[in-house]
Structures are given as C-alpha cells and as structure tokens.
C-alpha cells in the first residue's frame, strides 16, 4: 500500500507539472482576437483543470502512506479510480486540447495525461484488490 | 525475472508495431494514390515522396504537354495531372500554415473522384475541398481560409498515417480561382505557372508490365521520372531496412543480456529454496516433477511480465503515435486488430521462450541435486 501511495504522489506531480511545459501557451502560442488581444488556447485550461485534480490526488497519495486501516484504503482506492478517470476525461472529453495533431498539446500533453490517468486507475484498482485480499492480514 | 520478461516482450512488440505500422501506412498511402505509375519532374522523386508521406509541402513543375505524350503511350489506360501547392506559413490569410494542397482534374481523375462518389455522392464543385483525416475547419469559422479564399471542407479521408492525413484535395478550377484572386486577398499571391503541372498519375491497361511502360515514358518524355507503384516510397523502405538491421541487432543484444540476467536471478532464487526442494525430493518428488515445477514458475512469471510489458508498450505507442511519427520522420498507422493480436502473441511467445530457456540450466542443476546434499547446505 505504501508503494501505491508513492506511485500516486509521483503521478499527481506529473499530472500537475507536465501541462505547464507542454501546453501551447508554454510554446508562446495563443489565440489572437480581432482587437489584437490574446487569449490562451483550450489546452491551457485543460492544464489548469488537471492541476486542480492533481492536488486531491497528491493528498490521497499521502493518506495512502500514513494510514493503516483497510476500510480507509478501500475508500481511498475508489476515490483514486474516480480521479484517474477525471484525469483522462479532461483532455479528451470535458475540455479537450487543440485539434491540430502537430501541436505539442495534442501530441505530447494529452498522451501524457491519458497515460497518467490510466496508471492512476490501475494503481487504485490494485489498492482496492489488496484491501479485499487476505482479510486476516494487515495491509 | 518478470521485469526482464516485461522488457523483452515490450521491446519486441514495440519493434514489430513500428515496423508494421510504417509498412501498413506506406501500403495505404500507395492505395490512396491509386495509380500504377506516378510521373514526376526529373530529380524531384524524394521531394514528392516526402510531400505525400510526411505532408511537407513541395512545389514541382513540368510542362502540361507531357500529359498528352504519356496518355498516348500504348498500354496507358488513363493519365491524369495533379498540381502540388501549399498554403502560406504564419499568414493571417491562411487558416492552416504550410498545408500541402493537391489539385486534381475532375475530368480525367481516377484516384479521388471514385472515392468522392462513394462518400458524398458527387464530385467537388468550385470552392469545395476534401481533407485528410486531420484537416478541420478552425473553431468559430465556417470555412477554411486559403490565400484569403474561403474553401468549404466537404469530407475527410480515412486515416493513412501519412502526410495525406494533413493534406487537402481540391479541383483545378478551385486552385486556379484561388490563384486568380490571391493577389487581392492574400499577403502573397498563389502562383501556378502557365501550362504547368506537378505530376501525372497513370493507370495501366490490364496485363501491361509497369516496368516496360516506365521505360517507354523515359524514352518518349524527356525530363521526367516515372515511379512504379511497387517502387513508390523506395527511399523510405530502404531507410526502414537499414533501421531494421540495427534494431534487430539491439533486440539480439537485449535478448542475450535478459537471458543471462534471468538465468542469474533464477539461479539465486532456486538456491534460496534448496532445502525446501531437497525436502520435496526426500518426500518422494521425482527430479522431473521438481524441474517441471521450477519451469512452470518461470513460465508464469514470464507470462505475467510479458503481458504487462506488451500492454504498456501498445498503450504508449498508441498514445504517442503522432510524436513518434514526427520524431522518426516515418509515416505510421497502427495495424488492424487481427494483425495486432498476432504480433502480441509473437511478443509473448518470445518472452516465454527467452525466460524458460534462461531458467532451464539452473532448474536442471537444482532438480538433479542429491536431496541429502541439498538439505544439508
């Protein structure tokens, strides 16, 4: 369980930090309006939303490290799975990234976030499985 | 041991996927072009192949009169001209920067029109275009702006994993209309030289040898290079073969090193359990039973590690396919599920064979040890 906690903490850091260097804004690209002002592209807002998901995931990882109660692990694992799914949905369905496949947000940021989301779901699923396994032994 | 199997299976499947994906992509691009021979101006073969494969725009020209000469060669069933153009880079008059544009002649075309007929039920009109799978109308706009001219995107072609996915197809009429209006609408005019074309797609009559027609084209039409369909993208295929040799070498080294590592780890793990195995033998277990148990354990670990390695690698290649395509400079399209399943099985089998072979010697040694000796030490 401690290992799962450490994995979730690392993944939460990747989810929080990766968009800062791989969204279009980090490459100096923005939408230029008719009046000359610039606004960030939607991949930037996906990155901001991912940061907001990464924070509870980080806390969840720490709780995995400091807890010993099987029921708590079970609940944390379920929460981790939900957060993992949200991490996947933000750049794919909820907000999205730029449509051009050549843009860095589409070719790098989105795959990193989807991969991290899948790993969070897998790690949480393992946690859930372990919390049900060997009821008589400490986790 | 499972980590070694993870690496072996993952590496093997990655190689197979990338090589197959590239070949798959080249074949689809060839099919999409739909020509037995493509005639391009002399010395521009690589430029045209790069444009078609990677979507890097190119502008090559040859006299339009070549079309009639090629069409008149006996054995040529149909010949159609194409113009290769590109949008401007970082100009507000073009919605998409540096996009490869292919203009075709609807009257003689046999490559794009049949596809259009089956998709939108008719050919393209003035101001209309079809795009590769990644060509899209920018958000908040109704049309795609090219040299200040609004083009309506009618449909998207299925993905090929090549530059065709980022290219746009329009008619000669539309291309010439854009060129006519571009001096007023665009920052830079679109120039299509008078009486010039970029390439001629040739379809041969049934049973005609493409090589003999190619030789005839070279003899009758000076200043052009015919590329027969099997030789299309030959430069890329040669590069792939060169890469294949190096990759196979690396795979071989990985297999040997993993084998040695697995042998060592398994030997240590089996040594740890020497007493238990000795007790098992003393209780009546045969040498063969102990050997089979040890090999079964190794196989289960190999399967677990191999499956994890394959799943992870396929996922990473699927997610990062666009980045891989751009970084390696090769076209790439994932193979269909049936072929993917075969490749996964091969990768798994490789991991299984590698681990079982590596575990064979220590397993044999331990299983053939005298029980008394094994229990004492």
């Amino acid at each position: 369980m401690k290992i799962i906690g450490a994995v979730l903490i690392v993944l939460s850091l990747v989810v929080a930090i990766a968009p800062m260097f791989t969204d279009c804004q980090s490459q100096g690209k923005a939408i230029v309006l008719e009046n000359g002002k610039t606004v960030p592209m939607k991949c930037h807002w996906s990155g901001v939303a991912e940061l907001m998901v990464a924070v509870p995931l980080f806390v969840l990882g720490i709780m995995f490290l400091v807890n010993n109660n099987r029921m708590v692990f079970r609940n944390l694992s379920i929460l981790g799975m939900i957060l993992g799914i949200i991490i996947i949905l933000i750049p794919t369905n909820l907000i999205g990234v730029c449509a051009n496949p050549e843009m860095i947000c589409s070719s790098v940021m989105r795959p990193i976030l989807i991969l991290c989301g899948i790993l969070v779901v897998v790690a949480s699923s393992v946690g859930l499985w372990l919390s049900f396994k060997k009821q008589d032994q400490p986790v | 041991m499972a980590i070694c199997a993870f690496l072996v299976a993952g590496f093997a499947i990655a190689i197979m996927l990338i090589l197959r994906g590239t070949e798959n992509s080249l074949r689809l691009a060839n099919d999409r072009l739909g020509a037995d021979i493509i005639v391009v101006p002399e010395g521009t073969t690589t430029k045209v192949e790069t444009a078609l494969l990677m979507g890097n725009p190119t502008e090559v020209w040859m006299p339009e009169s070549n079309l009639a000469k090629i069409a008149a060669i006996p054995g040529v069933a149909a010949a159609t001209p194409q113009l290769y153009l590109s949008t401007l880079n970082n100009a507000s008059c073009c919605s998409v920067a540096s996009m490869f544009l292919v203009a075709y002649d609807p009257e003689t075309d046999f490559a794009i029109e049949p596809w259009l007929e089956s998709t939108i039920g008719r050919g393209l009109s003035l101001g209309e275009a079809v795009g590769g799978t990644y060509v899209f109308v920018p958000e908040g706009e109704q049309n795609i702006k090219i040299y200040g001219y609004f083009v309506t995107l009618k449909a998207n072609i299925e993905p090929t994993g090549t530059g065709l996915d980022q290219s746009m197809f329009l008619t000669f009429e539309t291309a010439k209309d854009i060129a006519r209006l571009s001096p007023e609408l665009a920052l830079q005019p679109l120039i299509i030289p008078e009486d010039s074309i970029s390439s001629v797609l040739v379809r041969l009559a049934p049973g005609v040898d493409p090589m003999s027609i190619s030789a005839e084209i070279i003899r009758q039409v000076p200043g052009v290079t015919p590329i027969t369909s099997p030789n299309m993208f030959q430069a890329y295929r040669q590069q792939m073969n060169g890469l294949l040799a190096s990759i196979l070498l690396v795979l071989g080294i990985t297999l040997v090193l993993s084998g040695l590592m697995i042998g060592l780890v398994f030997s240590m793990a089996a040594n740890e359990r020497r007493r238990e195995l000795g007790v098992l033998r003393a209780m009546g277990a045969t040498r063969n039973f102990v050997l089979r148990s040890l090999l079964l354990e190794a196989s289960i670990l190999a399967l677990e590690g191999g499956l994890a390695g394959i799943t992870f690698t396929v996922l990473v290649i699927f997610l990062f396919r666009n980045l891989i395509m751009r970084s390696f400079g090769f076209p790439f399209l994932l193979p269909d599920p049936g072929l993917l399943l075969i490749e996964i099985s091969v990768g798994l089998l490789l991991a299984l064979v590698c681990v079982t072979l590596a575990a064979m010697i220590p397993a044999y040694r331990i299983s053939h040890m005298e029980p008394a000796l094994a229990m004492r030490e």
Side-chain angles (χ1 to χ4, degrees):
Chain A
M1 283 297 183
K2 304 281 180 209
I3 295 173
I4 292 174
V7 168
L8 291 180
I9 288 174
V10 171
L11 287 172
S12 71
L13 291 175
V14 176
V15 169
I17 296 167
M20 293 177 191
F21 299 98
T22 52
D23 69 351
C24 289
Q25 185 145 301
S26 69
Q27 312 298 311
K29 288 179 184 165
I31 299 170
V32 183
L33 300 176
E34 295 269 324
N35 59 12
K37 285 186 180 173
T38 58
V39 289
M41 295 181 182
K42 67 177 177 182
C43 54
H44 173 71
W45 302 118
S46 277
V48 174
E50 291 287 3
L51 181 65
M52 290 299 103
V53 181
V55 174
L57 185 64
F58 183 81
V59 176
L60 194 137
I62 290 175
M63 286 171 80
F64 256 101
L65 288 180
V66 298
N67 260 294
N68 273 319
N69 187 306
R70 191 179 293 277
M71 271 312 285
V72 175
F73 280 137
R74 199 167 296 170
N75 295 337
L76 288 178
S77 300
I78 294 169
L79 190 60
M81 286 163 80
I82 295 169
L83 287 177
I85 293 168
I86 295 173
I87 290 172
I88 298 169
L89 287 178
I90 286 173
T92 52
N93 287 75
L94 297 177
I95 300 178
V97 293
C98 303
N100 189 339
E102 293 213 333
M103 283 183 165
I104 189 167
C105 62
S106 182
S107 63
V108 181
M109 182 179 128
R110 183 171 52 182
I112 288 177
L113 292 173
I114 295 174
L115 189 64
C116 285
I118 291 172
L119 292 177
V120 168
V121 172
V122 170
S124 304
S125 307
V126 172
L128 191 65
W129 177 62
L130 286 177
S131 73
F132 277 107
K133 201 184 154 196
K134 294 179 184 171
Q135 291 281 353
D136 52 329
Q137 288 178 11
V139 184
Chain B
M1 198 147 47
I3 292 173
C4 283
F6 180 100
L7 288 176
V8 169
F11 196 50
I13 194 86
I15 291 166
M16 279 190 285
L17 273 184
I18 290 176
L19 293 177
R20 269 277 165 234
T22 306
E23 191 52 45
N24 194 18
S25 194
L26 290 173
R27 186 178 47 75
L28 262 175
N30 224 345
D31 291 350
R32 173 67 54 230
L33 289 171
D36 296 316
I37 300 174
I38 296 183
V39 184
V40 297
E42 199 172 14
T44 62
T45 310
T46 312
K47 262 183 167 179
V48 172
E49 285 184 348
T50 308
L52 294 172
L53 273 189
M54 302 311 297
N56 300 339
T58 188
E59 290 193 13
V60 295
W61 302 108
M62 64 181 174
E64 198 176 359
S65 56
N66 286 351
L67 176 67
K69 290 181 198 166
I70 293 166
I73 293 173
V76 171
T80 185
Q82 287 193 334
L83 300 177
Y84 298 148
L85 309 163
S86 88
T87 58
L88 291 173
N89 197 13
N90 288 333
S92 58
C93 58
C94 293
S95 324
V96 189
S98 295
M99 182 166 64
F100 185 44
L101 304 173
V102 178
Y104 68 95
D105 181 8
E107 285 178 14
T108 55
D109 179 76
F110 54 81
I112 297 159
E113 283 282 308
W115 179 82
L116 281 172
E117 287 294 337
S118 64
T119 318
I120 58 172
R122 61 175 177 85
L124 294 177
S125 314
L126 180 68
E128 291 180 341
V130 283
T133 191
Y134 292 137
V135 175
F136 55 92
V137 179
E139 256 175 71
E141 290 177 29
Q142 301 292 318
N143 301 293
I144 297 180
K145 201 157 62 165
I146 298 171
Y147 289 88
Y149 188 100
F150 287 102
V151 174
T152 310
L153 185 68
K154 293 305 288 181
N156 287 86
I157 297 173
E158 303 88 13
T160 61
T162 65
L164 293 177
D165 292 349
Q166 291 150 46
S167 307
M168 192 188 258
F169 299 85
L170 29 83
T171 60
F172 266 25
E173 193 189 11
T174 305
K176 285 180 177 164
D177 207 33
I178 296 172
R180 185 176 59 81
L181 296 171
S182 63
E184 299 156 27
L185 302 175
L187 296 177
Q188 254 179 284
L190 171 66
I191 296 164
I192 302 175
E194 276 293 303
D195 302 324
S196 296
I197 52 175
S198 300
S199 72
V200 177
L201 304 192
V202 176
R203 176 172 283 175
L204 300 179
V208 176
D209 175 30
M211 296 315 289
S212 64
I213 298 292
S214 284
E216 197 56 28
I217 290 173
I218 292 172
R219 204 175 61 77
Q220 292 196 22
V221 190
V224 299
T225 305
I227 314 167
T228 53
S229 181
N231 290 335
M232 191 70 188
F233 312 128
Q234 199 60 28
Y236 280 85
R237 288 204 168 97
Q238 278 167 2
Q239 263 178 288
M240 282 305 296
N241 287 339
L243 193 68
L244 181 67
S246 341
I247 286 176
L248 282 178
L249 184 74
V250 177
L251 179 64
I253 294 170
T254 312
L255 276 177
V256 172
L257 286 180
S258 298
L260 287 174
M261 184 74 90
I262 291 164
L264 191 71
V265 170
F266 197 79
S267 179
M268 284 162 65
N271 255 329
E272 289 279 312
R273 286 179 290 164
R274 247 163 111 162
R275 282 187 187 151
E276 288 90 332
L277 292 171
V279 170
L280 208 61
R281 285 286 321 280
M283 285 170 75
T286 60
R287 285 175 176 167
N288 197 23
F289 176 79
V290 174
L291 177 72
R292 273 192 289 127
S293 322
L294 288 170
L295 289 181
L296 186 68
E297 184 198 1
S299 308
I300 290 170
L301 282 173
L303 275 179
E304 283 177 0
L307 266 178
I310 285 171
T311 310
F312 185 75
T313 310
V314 172
L315 187 68
V316 167
I317 289 184
F318 174 73
L319 290 173
F320 290 90
R321 60 192 185 282
N322 286 328
L323 186 69
I324 292 170
M325 188 176 148
R326 270 195 304 141
S327 312
F328 284 99
F330 286 133
F332 178 74
L333 191 70
L334 274 177
D336 55 68
L339 199 63
L340 188 64
L341 209 63
I342 294 172
E343 288 175 4
I344 287 173
S345 311
V346 172
L348 213 53
L349 194 71
L350 198 66
L352 199 64
V353 169
C354 180
V355 170
T356 313
L357 278 180
M360 188 72 93
I361 298 170
Y364 182 83
R365 201 166 48 80
I366 296 280
S367 64
H368 280 70
M369 196 174 256
E370 282 303 317
L373 199 67
M375 281 188 287
R376 197 168 55 222
E377 285 180 18

